[in-house]
Amino acid sequence: MMNANDPNAQSLVVICGSGLAGQMCAAALSRRLPASVAIEVVPTPRDHDADFFYGQVTGPSAYAFNLAAGVSEPDLVLRSAMSFAYGTHYERWGDRSWHQCHHLPLPVIGNVAFHHFLTQTGRTQLEPFLLPAIAAARGAFAHPPERGASPLARAEYGYQIEPSAYAGLFETAGGLRYDRTKALLNDVEVASGRIASLRLSDGSVVRGDFYVDATGPQALLLSAVGVPQERSGRQVRGEAFRRSCERLGPPVRVVRAGGRGWTSAAHLRDGVHFLELSEEDERRSDATPDFEDLRQSCTLTLGKRTMAWRGNCVGIGHSAAVLEPITPAPIMMLERDIERVISLVPVAPEMSVEEELYNRRHRDDFENAFAFNASLYGTPHLPKGAFWATARDQLLPERLSAKLSAFTRRGVSVTFDHEPFNEEDWLIQHFGMGRVPERYDRFAEGAGGARLSAQLDEMRDSIARFARTMPLHHQYMDGLELYIRRNAETNDNDT
């Protein structure tokens, strides 16, 4: 731990687990904690088993997080098969299809939110006014400009990823300063509700001041100090496949509902990566010949631990909570967990203040992310199988009911502190799922003006025209990779 009275005192943070969560955490901590804090990574036998449950897409926050951890966007392009993601296309989701895209705040006209003008003019579609959605539908992509009044300036993006390869980028990032044991975790020794040491497979012992549980859903450290899982009642089976393709697909992950569950397809440069979630008793009976390989499969119980921090141990990612990867929620939560650990690294053996803060913020993050996920099941037109019945019957948080009621009745966006998903995310989901407000803000009648409808038409048409000028995703990726490689070669020659 950091010593507030003696900044030169040495302490040891032990990260248990070297899957995606462990590698992201080790990279971030090693670059952002002072040199007086040593870091040691202890692998476990099943580090990567459930990494694919983090999903195949990140949110826009990944750019800044990765850069701070030593992984730049050129690293992603040159050292992985990643591609860009404007968001997720929910295709034939019940009776709806829409692009859940990433977008900066929409225009506010006369102190009236943009969507009220849509309701006022009888429009039920938000997507035509979202450039990243229109571009994704065309299969086009381009980086937003750093400055200027381009329609693309309001667009945001994340990445389409394969979690194991993504973990490898953090493992080999620059500027790392941590040790990694060759031996694996064998046992956790506990004394007075705190971790005393970790015993490894070669008989050696690791003793730290502070422990980070990154062992995945098994949560070996949190379980050892007596933290159980709050079961949500939903046990799901995930299977990950890959299929090669001749050309990179669109800059969007596609999610489709089926009888057994849902399937997502992420378009990476080495093929299409599929993730299928279903009920445990509805698992695939035999290999599907269309897929080249079944990379991973496992069954998990969705939900969170009763607490994420106890004593001198904190859980991150799947060790603290398992969220359905139907949205980018799992990897967004992991990023936020690591940021919280950095901000709350203990300064004394007594960690009750940090424990309380971390647990409260983690609980709020989980409930907000869970609400966003759960609201996707709020339509009567989804399939009737066991998976869907269980999803619809899950206990919904009160904050979700408040959000849905306020929006459908008055078009009001209810927000809570530090939500993982912002107001635009919710607004796009509301309209995508057909939740149209019954009333609009009456101030819109004065703010819009007589030409409001014509102005909205011109805005829609200009977005469509601009999207038609954008390069296709595969063309843009090819050009970007060539540019980065030539730039790297030029820098090498200069040195």
Side-chain angles (χ1 to χ4, degrees):
M1 73 203 78
M2 296 172 60
N3 190 318
N5 298 318
D6 182 5
N8 296 316
Q10 292 291 315
S11 57
L12 176 62
V13 173
V14 179
I15 301 171
C16 191
S18 61
L20 178 58
Q23 296 297 348
M24 288 177 66
C25 185
L29 266 61
S30 69
R31 290 176 64 89
R32 296 174 63 182
L33 294 185
S36 60
V37 181
I39 302 166
E40 188 157 12
V41 176
V42 177
T44 73
R46 298 170 56 190
D47 278 343
H48 295 277
D49 283 5
D51 275 358
F52 71 94
F53 262 84
Y54 283 110
Q56 306 156 308
V57 286
T58 75
S61 58
Y63 179 92
F65 179 93
N66 294 352
L67 197 59
V71 178
S72 67
E73 191 164 277
D75 292 330
L76 287 170
V77 173
L78 297 183
R79 295 167 44 212
S80 78
M82 62 72 66
S83 62
F84 294 106
Y86 275 139
T88 296
H89 180 197
Y90 293 95
E91 186 177 75
R92 298 193 298 275
W93 190 257
D95 61 343
R96 308 290 300 184
S97 293
W98 78 98
H99 289 83
Q100 184 70 39
C101 63
H102 307 302
H103 204 284
L104 289 173
L106 291 162
V108 175
I109 305 172
N111 292 323
V112 178
F114 179 77
H115 66 275
H116 288 289
F117 298 104
L118 300 183
T119 307
Q120 180 194 357
T121 55
R123 300 166 195 256
T124 61
Q125 298 293 321
L126 177 61
E127 188 159 310
F129 301 91
L130 305 172
L131 179 61
I134 301 304
R138 283 196 67 249
F141 180 85
H143 277 96
E146 295 183 2
R147 61 184 66 87
S150 166
L152 194 56
R154 311 306 297 167
E156 290 194 298
Y157 67 91
Y159 304 111
Q160 298 184 74
I161 62 168
E162 194 283 309
S164 294
Y166 199 55
L169 294 171
F170 293 93
E171 185 177 7
T172 56
L176 301 181
R177 53 163 198 88
Y178 63 82
D179 295 321
R180 175 180 172 132
T181 65
K182 294 182 179 180
L184 304 179
L185 176 70
N186 187 58
D187 193 22
V188 183
E189 297 178 345
V190 176
S192 302
R194 297 165 66 91
I195 295 177
S197 63
L198 304 181
R199 190 167 295 277
L200 308 188
S201 56
D202 63 358
S204 62
V205 174
V206 175
R207 292 184 177 87
D209 299 290
F210 182 56
Y211 296 83
V212 179
D213 188 339
T215 62
Q218 53 192 334
L220 297 176
L221 305 193
L222 285 177
S223 297
V225 295
V227 179
Q229 184 178 20
E230 290 181 350
R231 291 185 173 270
S232 72
R234 289 190 66 201
Q235 191 174 65
V236 296
R237 177 175 176 80
E239 296 181 338
F241 303 84
R242 183 181 68 86
R243 184 176 63 200
S244 61
C245 61
E246 294 183 0
R247 195 176 77 178
L248 177 64
V252 65
R253 178 185 67 151
V254 179
V255 173
R256 299 183 180 93
R260 298 171 60 248
W262 57 260
T263 302
S264 70
H267 305 89
L268 277 68
R269 286 175 289 156
D270 66 347
V272 183
H273 291 247
F274 294 86
L275 173 60
E276 182 178 278
L277 244 66
S278 61
E279 286 281 300
E280 164 63 8
D281 58 0
E282 293 186 340
R283 72 176 66 181
R284 183 184 303 277
S285 59
D286 52 21
T288 302
D290 289 341
F291 297 99
E292 293 182 356
D293 59 318
L294 171 61
R295 291 195 164 189
Q296 290 175 294
S297 64
C298 70
T299 299
L300 297 180
T301 300
L302 303 178
K304 68 178 183 68
R305 297 272 160 180
T306 55
M307 60 180 66
W309 184 319
R310 183 170 186 180
N312 61 346
C313 173
V314 63
I316 62 171
H318 288 156
S319 295
V322 179
L323 281 161
E324 190 175 358
I326 195 169
T327 69
I331 201 158
M332 291 168 62
M333 282 282 290
L334 175 57
E335 292 172 356
R336 292 166 79 97
D337 288 350
I338 295 170
E339 293 287 353
R340 246 191 319 270
V341 169
I342 293 171
S343 68
L344 293 172
V345 168
V347 297
E350 168 55 45
M351 306 177 186
S352 58
V353 172
E354 292 87 352
E355 179 179 320
E356 191 278 330
L357 282 172
Y358 190 97
N359 284 331
R360 174 166 53 82
R361 293 176 185 174
H362 183 273
R363 181 179 62 252
D364 288 346
D365 271 359
F366 176 84
E367 290 178 358
N368 287 322
F370 174 75
F372 191 81
N373 280 7
S375 64
L376 288 167
Y377 292 99
T379 172
H381 303 290
L382 290 169
K384 305 299 182 182
F387 175 90
W388 302 100
T390 305
R392 282 190 293 265
D393 291 344
Q394 62 190 334
L395 183 63
L396 301 181
E398 291 184 5
R399 63 187 63 198
L400 176 57
S401 299
K403 279 181 175 287
L404 299 184
S405 177
F407 186 80
T408 55
R409 290 181 182 180
R410 302 186 60 87
V412 174
S413 297
V414 175
T415 58
F416 300 95
D417 290 343
H418 310 298
E419 287 194 60
F421 294 96
N422 60 32
E423 187 173 341
E424 280 63 46
D425 296 326
W426 279 100
L427 189 63
I428 293 167
Q429 190 198 81
H430 288 325
F431 274 88
M433 293 192 67
R435 301 183 193 125
V436 179
E438 298 170 3
R439 293 186 290 275
Y440 58 87
D441 187 335
R442 292 302 177 188
F443 285 104
E445 296 175 354
R451 295 192 64 254
L452 174 62
S453 184
Q455 290 170 340
L456 291 175
D457 287 343
E458 173 55 29
M459 180 180 178
R460 177 201 62 204
D461 294 344
S462 67
I463 286 173
R465 287 194 299 270
F466 188 91
R468 288 194 291 270
T469 69
M470 294 171 61
L472 296 179
H473 189 206
H474 73 277
Q475 295 170 335
Y476 190 85
M477 282 296 317
D478 289 345
L480 179 63
E481 182 177 357
L482 180 61
Y483 169 80
I484 293 173
R485 290 192 185 281
R486 285 178 175 175
N487 193 54
E489 291 173 0
T490 300
N491 291 337
D492 289 341
N493 292 335
D494 290 342
T495 56

